[in-house]
């Protein structure tokens, strides 16, 4: 098979082709001609014995009735052998899970982007005049959904956090907290400067540690970085709150 889909998906697609070919044909000659076209298309795309995929009679299934309280589990599709092993394991152990195999990334998705040069990498459209871009060592200020690290250049203390918003919004918030810590009592960097560098301006370096668009994955990544690196400006309560969020 050339397509990167599980066998059941391929069978369903092929069956729908045959069903449509028969439905739109006005006579027997037209029907045979339509079926031959479907045979040709499926054969060219690597389907062995295409007519084996033809749906002989419509079937209806009620998954919820057959297996109540079943949870869908999305699994990246690799091979039909692996998919069958997963299905058999779930069935033999009577696990209340329905595997849903998702296709992997296509080469087009990995190597092609729609007009990448049009994407603005700086919120001010001018990194040279941006407050945040010059202090980011490995990215730009307009990136979203990242786990980041702030290093205080005055004392090498480190803070790690995450944000769904553009990174510039979160970093500027930290800088405002340094300037006015009383207005940001919960900001770790602001309180750090208030206690140890009250007579200095913010002198920091930003490193992007990870990028995750999904909130839960980003929170997990943040928790793993904090647990591993034990940054001085992150307190234990913060890590506990992240773990509670993930386990909800």
């Amino acid at each position: 098979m050339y397509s990167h889909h599980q066998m059941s998906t391929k069978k369903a697609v092929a069956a729908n082709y045959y069903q449509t070919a028969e439905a739109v044909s006005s006579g027997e000659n037209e029907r045979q001609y339509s079926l031959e076209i479907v045979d040709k298309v499926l054969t060219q795309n690597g389907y062995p014995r295409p007519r084996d995929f033809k749906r002989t009679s419509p079937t209806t299934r009620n998954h919820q009735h057959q297996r109540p309280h079943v949870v869908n589990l999305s699994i990246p599709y690799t091979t039909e052998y692996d998919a069958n092993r997963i299905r058999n394991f779930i069935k033999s152990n009577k696990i209340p899970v329905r595997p849903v195999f998702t296709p992997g990334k296509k080469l087009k998705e990995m190597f092609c982007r729609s007009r990448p040069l049009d994407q603005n990498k700086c919120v001010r459209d001018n990194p040279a005049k941006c407050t945040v871009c010059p202090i980011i060592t490995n990215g730009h200020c307009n990136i979203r959904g990242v786990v980041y690290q702030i290093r205080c250049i005055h004392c090498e203390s480190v803070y790690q956090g995450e944000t769904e918003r553009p990174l510039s919004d979160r970093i500027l918030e930290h800088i405002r907290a340094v300037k006015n810590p009383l207005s940001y009592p919960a900001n770790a960097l602001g309180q750090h400067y208030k206690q140890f560098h009250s007579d200095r301006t913010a002198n920091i370096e930003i490193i992007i540690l990870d990028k995750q668009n999904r909130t839960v994955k980003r929170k997990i990544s943040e928790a793993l970085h904090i647990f591993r690196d034990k940054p001085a400006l992150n307190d234990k309560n913060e890590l506990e709150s992240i773990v509670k969020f993930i386990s909800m």
Side-chain angles (χ1 to χ4, degrees):
M1 297 295 180
Y2 302 144
S3 61
H4 196 59
H5 292 273
Q6 60 175 324
M7 184 62 68
S8 61
T9 301
K10 297 170 184 175
K11 288 183 177 180
V13 171
N16 285 333
Y17 282 162
Y18 284 114
Q19 191 174 25
T20 302
E22 292 185 344
V24 300
S25 301
S26 58
E28 181 60 25
N29 292 335
E30 290 80 5
R31 174 178 171 275
Q32 289 300 326
Y33 178 71
S34 298
L35 292 177
E36 289 174 2
I37 292 177
V38 176
D39 287 343
K40 183 178 179 181
V41 170
L42 294 177
T43 301
Q44 289 176 344
N45 285 274
Y47 285 72
R49 300 191 306 276
R51 292 291 178 103
D52 291 349
F53 294 99
K54 183 178 177 182
R55 182 178 295 164
T56 56
S57 61
T59 59
T60 57
R61 294 180 297 177
N62 189 333
H63 294 287
Q64 296 299 326
H65 176 71
Q66 295 175 2
R67 298 178 64 184
H69 308 297
V70 172
V71 178
N72 290 334
L73 176 63
S74 295
I75 304 173
Y77 177 79
T78 53
T79 65
E80 193 63 25
Y81 174 76
D82 293 334
N84 286 331
R85 288 191 64 187
I86 293 172
R87 291 194 196 94
N88 292 335
F89 179 83
I90 292 173
K91 184 177 180 180
S92 61
N93 290 276
K94 297 181 180 180
I95 302 174
V97 167
R98 181 186 301 114
V100 178
F101 295 96
T102 58
K105 285 188 176 181
K106 302 180 179 66
L107 288 176
K108 180 180 179 181
E109 295 174 350
M110 291 189 285
F111 293 109
C112 300
R113 296 181 64 184
S114 177
R115 302 177 65 87
L117 297 179
D118 290 348
Q119 297 179 6
N120 187 6
K121 293 187 176 182
C122 177
V123 293
R124 296 190 59 180
D125 200 24
N126 189 344
K129 295 183 178 180
C130 179
T131 304
V132 179
C133 282
I135 60 177
I136 301 176
T137 61
N138 60 338
H140 54 85
C141 73
N142 203 26
I143 190 171
R144 293 172 175 265
V146 297
V147 179
Y148 62 91
Q149 175 178 290
I150 299 177
R151 181 175 69 90
C152 174
I153 296 178
H154 296 305
C155 65
E156 299 298 322
S157 294
V158 169
Y159 173 83
Q160 293 177 349
E162 63 84 22
T163 181
E164 183 180 14
R165 299 175 293 166
L167 182 57
S168 63
D169 291 357
R170 185 66 178 128
I171 300 305
L172 289 174
E173 193 173 86
H174 283 295
I175 294 174
R176 289 195 297 270
V178 170
K179 294 179 179 179
N180 190 7
L182 293 178
S183 299
Y184 298 86
N187 188 284
L189 187 67
Q191 297 308 307
H192 171 73
Y193 266 78
K194 177 185 175 183
Q195 185 175 357
F196 299 102
H197 315 299
S198 58
D199 58 338
R200 297 183 176 184
T201 58
N203 189 4
I204 56 177
E205 177 188 76
I206 312 299
I207 299 175
I208 297 172
L209 301 175
D210 192 15
K211 176 169 171 42
Q212 297 288 346
N213 292 327
R214 296 183 60 182
T215 302
V216 173
K217 287 187 176 182
R218 195 169 59 251
K219 290 284 188 181
I220 292 173
S221 178
E222 179 193 16
L224 290 174
H225 277 92
I226 293 174
F227 181 79
R228 182 193 65 189
D229 301 334
K230 296 178 174 55
L233 301 186
N234 293 81
D235 58 34
K236 294 181 180 180
N237 293 332
E238 185 174 0
L239 182 58
E240 291 176 358
S241 65
I242 296 172
V243 173
K244 286 181 181 180
F245 176 87
I246 295 170
S247 60
M248 288 177 60

